Amino acid sequence: MREAGHGLAAAEAELVVEITPQGNANHDGVVKLQGHATAGVPFYLLIDRWHAGRPTATLYGEPENGLYRVLDVVEFGREIHLPAPFDLILDTAEFPVS
């Protein structure tokens, strides 16, 4: 267990979730995506309210050589499944659009 104020190394994380702000969506969807894949984080969930005019949730996985494979993309209002070790369904209908 870590003390308050101490971070977790990216290589120890099983999942990183990013919620993109309007002015920074490209950074989260490109720079951070590559950084987490390079660190070997198994899953990256990008919640993008600004994606091409329609909000989406994209699950990336299987990192290799600094790249992820897209495992699933859903528009808000649909469900997205997070595989093991999580094995849960997120209902994106509950995500705020604005």
Side-chain angles (χ1 to χ4, degrees):
M1 183 141 199
R2 298 194 182 276
E3 294 179 33
H6 294 274
L8 177 70
E12 295 179 65
E14 292 291 326
L15 169 71
V16 171
V17 178
E18 298 280 352
I19 302 171
T20 60
Q22 186 173 12
N24 204 27
N26 190 52
H27 184 259
D28 291 350
V30 176
V31 176
K32 287 185 177 183
L33 178 76
Q34 183 180 16
H36 296 310
T38 300
V41 177
F43 298 103
Y44 180 72
L45 180 61
L46 183 63
I47 309 299
D48 189 352
R49 297 183 316 167
W50 314 104
H51 182 261
R54 64 183 207 282
T56 59
T58 305
L59 179 64
Y60 297 91
E62 302 175 14
E64 187 175 321
N65 298 319
L67 299 172
Y68 276 115
R69 186 170 91 90
V70 175
L71 302 178
D72 200 3
V73 180
V74 300
E75 291 186 30
F76 280 21
R78 299 188 61 205
E79 295 178 341
I80 190 165
H81 176 253
L82 299 181
F86 309 101
D87 196 27
L88 63 92
I89 304 279
L90 289 177
D91 183 0
T92 66
E94 301 299 319
F95 292 0
V97 176
S98 59

